[in-house]
Amino acid sequence: MTTPRPETLAKLTPVLTKRWLSPDAWQIGTYEQLDGYAALRKALKAHPDDLIQLIKDSGLRGRGGAGFPTGLKWGFIPQGDGKPHYLVVNADEGEPGTCKDLPLMTHDPHALVEGVIIASYAIRAARAYIYIRGEAVHAARRLRNAVQEAYDKGYLGRNILRSGYDLELVVHSGAGAYICGEETALLDSLEGFRGQPRLRPPFPATHGLYASPTVVNNVGTIASVPPIVLGGADWWKSMGTEKSSGPMIYSLSGRVANPGQFECSMGVTLRELLELAGGMQPGHNLRFWTPGGSSTPLLAAEHLDVPLDFEGVAAAGSILGTTATQIFSDQDCPVYATYRWLEFYHHESCGKCTPCREGNYWMVRVYRRILAGQGTHEDLDTLLDTCDNILGRSFCGLGDGATSSVTSSLKYFKQDYLDYIEGRTAPKLSEKTLVGAH
Ligand SMILES: Cc1cc2nc3c(=O)[nH]c(=O)nc-3n(C[C@H](O)[C@H](O)[C@H](O)COP(=O)(O)O)c2cc1C
Ligand code: SF4
């Protein structure tokens, strides 16, 4: 394992992760000793509109994948409309490779609870929900415990810190469906319906939970709010790049010596992240990687120095997504990796729209054929044509995301496909996999 140089270590900017290694960081006593709930006290003295302006000024962008400006989203909530307003935290974290929200809720749940209270106060919500992935039992337990501690201390409930502001916070466990991370499917699921995306417009800002104005934000977005309230917009903007401000938790997995979460200023490169993670595993050389989960187009070794912010990754032809960098080496097969991701998308497709439901079903079958050594050159055209009919024609982002690894692996690693088709690579799947395939 290589040791990072001091100048690379200086790239670490622990803000959201700063308490994670403190003993019992999840307990309210520790949290309060380490700045906890100081931002809430400050926020409750401010006018809600000023808080929205602060978040706008900080340039905070959503950490759930799309990078939408958070202050702008809060500002869309109509005020004085007489309807209840809701804050819903998206803690579903289902994107393959993504592991930043669950560790945050496990190690530092009060950071999220405090962010929820401040954000709810800003948008004038009296009720907030955290929708957490059903399988995340440990994180949900920590979170529920933190919510109870916050109630006991008067940070939640009626007349919070004698400010006159009331807020109820509910932690709701989903049933573990990737589509329920899509914000409108999440709202349907929270209302007790089958989780499927809604037609937009109308948008959640006016017709969200129970057809009322709703903000849906990612865990990391909301946990960023207390530090911004305490440190100010300029401090937040002193990290990151001009259009992608602040720190970001990058989660590294795969063929790295020391996988895990590394919080750095936005714009750090994979070369630097790999150095922080102790380099590649011995005997492995970087071949391909996802910058932000399996829904983002693959990048290759030539992209080691791409700045990992929203603009830098877009300029390289991919998407920053959830900053889940999955690292693959020269001992991994991009065709097989793409097939495994497609199995996931096929399984998780909610079936509402034809391009995603049918397209993923058929692409899985084409991959099985190629990997079983029975592919044809025409199959590659079929894959590209199918992607062309899914991308931009699907009802939600799941369909679009499914095409990312297909088109990008064909762009960078077409030879790997040809090696299966022309018999130079031994089949990876047995012919039995093809039973039932047409
Ligand atoms: C299929 C699919 C799954 C998603 N899963 C998540 C998720 O697990 N967590 C999340 O925060 N956003 C997820 N999103 C994005 C949300 O729809 C939404 O953009 C996000 O929660 C907004 O929060 P933000 O503005 O704070 O980023 C998903 C989107 C799609 C299309
Ligand atoms: S794109 Fe897929 S997941 Fe999204 S609505 Fe269509 S079928 Fe459902």
Side-chain angles (χ1 to χ4, degrees):
M1 194 163 100
T2 54
T3 312
R5 292 164 301 154
E7 59 267 36
T8 314
L9 274 176
K11 297 272 171 178
L12 286 169
T13 50
V15 175
L16 273 69
T17 54
K18 74 174 181 180
R19 281 176 288 260
W20 287 14
L21 292 180
S22 305
D24 299 337
W26 54 90
Q27 289 180 358
I28 198 161
T30 317
Y31 187 69
E32 284 175 325
Q33 279 170 22
L34 301 170
D35 295 342
Y37 291 105
L40 176 63
R41 289 175 198 281
K42 188 174 171 188
L44 289 176
K45 290 188 188 118
H47 192 279
D49 286 344
D50 293 339
L51 288 171
I52 296 179
Q53 190 58 46
L54 172 73
I55 298 302
K56 280 184 184 165
D57 293 344
S58 74
L60 175 65
R61 293 171 68 173
R63 283 3 189 185
F68 193 84
T70 307
L72 194 62
K73 189 184 270 192
W74 294 8
F76 288 151
I77 297 293
Q79 297 302 336
D81 54 344
K83 285 188 171 182
H85 297 175
Y86 296 105
L87 174 74
V88 176
V89 177
N90 191 340
D92 197 53
E93 191 154 74
E95 174 79 10
T98 308
C99 45
K100 62 182 182 59
D101 298 343
L102 289 185
L104 192 149
M105 290 184 289
T106 307
H107 296 296
D108 199 11
H110 282 286
L112 178 60
V113 173
E114 186 178 8
V116 166
I117 308 167
I118 299 172
S120 302
Y121 172 71
I123 63 162
R124 286 84 154 177
R127 205 169 175 84
Y129 294 86
I130 300 174
Y131 184 99
I132 187 166
R133 171 152 285 266
E135 297 99 316
V137 179
H138 186 49
R141 203 180 287 134
R142 285 262 169 95
L143 200 53
R144 287 202 171 91
N145 186 56
V147 169
Q148 188 55 53
E149 285 182 322
Y151 269 107
D152 294 345
K153 283 264 185 164
Y155 297 128
L156 279 169
R158 308 211 63 159
N159 195 16
I160 295 170
L161 300 176
R162 293 196 205 89
S163 63
Y165 174 58
D166 304 334
L167 178 69
E168 300 297 335
L169 172 57
V170 176
V171 178
H172 177 95
S173 288
Y178 175 55
I179 191 57
C180 289
E182 194 283 332
E183 59 183 15
T184 59
L186 186 157
L187 295 176
D188 263 18
S189 168
L190 198 52
E191 289 181 8
F193 298 108
R194 177 179 175 174
Q196 284 193 313
R198 297 177 181 174
L199 186 66
R200 281 170 293 190
F203 291 94
T206 54
H207 294 75
L209 191 64
Y210 306 120
S212 294
T214 303
V215 162
V216 183
N217 269 142
N218 171 258
V219 169
T221 314
I222 293 298
S224 300
V225 171
I228 294 174
V229 169
L230 278 185
D234 287 341
W235 165 75
W236 185 262
K237 282 196 295 190
S238 70
M239 293 168 281
T241 54
E242 193 192 339
K243 291 185 180 160
S244 303
S245 63
M248 185 83 186
I249 303 174
Y250 296 85
S251 31
L252 268 68
S253 62
R255 305 287 197 182
V256 281
N258 182 20
Q261 291 77 28
F262 298 85
E263 190 177 12
C264 296
S265 283
M266 286 240 231
V268 68
T269 64
L270 183 67
R271 190 186 296 282
E272 290 161 337
L273 285 172
L274 278 176
E275 195 179 326
L276 290 170
M280 297 289 289
Q281 286 173 3
H284 290 269
N285 294 307
L286 176 69
R287 184 139 189 252
F288 60 101
W289 54 291
T290 66
S294 61
S295 303
T296 61
L298 297 175
L299 293 177
E302 70 202 65
H303 299 110
L304 265 172
D305 295 312
V306 166
L308 297 179
D309 58 12
F310 292 105
E311 293 68 35
V313 178
S318 188
I319 307 167
L320 186 65
T322 57
T323 54
T325 42
Q326 299 166 277
I327 314 292
F328 296 84
S329 78
D330 46 5
Q331 296 179 38
D332 300 313
C333 171
V335 185
Y336 188 68
T338 302
Y339 160 65
R340 293 304 303 267
W341 282 318
L342 270 186
E343 285 273 23
F344 169 82
Y345 288 105
H346 165 235
H347 181 262
E348 296 294 327
S349 168
C350 82
K352 181 166 182 157
C353 68
T354 309
C356 168
R357 184 189 61 237
E358 299 299 320
N360 283 313
Y361 173 91
W362 285 109
M363 285 206 291
V364 163
R365 268 141 192 83
V366 173
Y367 269 89
R368 284 189 191 153
R369 193 159 62 212
I370 293 172
L371 287 162
Q374 298 195 6
T376 63
H377 291 92
E378 202 189 355
D379 282 340
L380 304 189
D381 297 330
T382 305
L383 288 175
L384 287 177
D385 187 47
T386 312
C387 286
D388 200 35
N389 280 293
I390 298 176
L391 184 68
R393 294 180 164 87
S394 294
F395 195 80
C396 84
L398 188 148
D400 293 344
T403 67
S404 288
S405 58
V406 179
T407 46
S408 56
S409 63
L410 275 164
K411 176 175 165 192
Y412 295 117
F413 305 110
K414 188 171 178 185
Q415 190 58 46
D416 289 69
Y417 286 82
L418 293 174
D419 287 346
Y420 280 109
I421 291 168
E422 293 167 8
R424 283 181 295 276
T425 301
K428 219 171 177 84
L429 296 180
S430 87
E431 286 184 24
K432 283 186 198 151
T433 334
L434 303 179
V435 173
H438 302 279

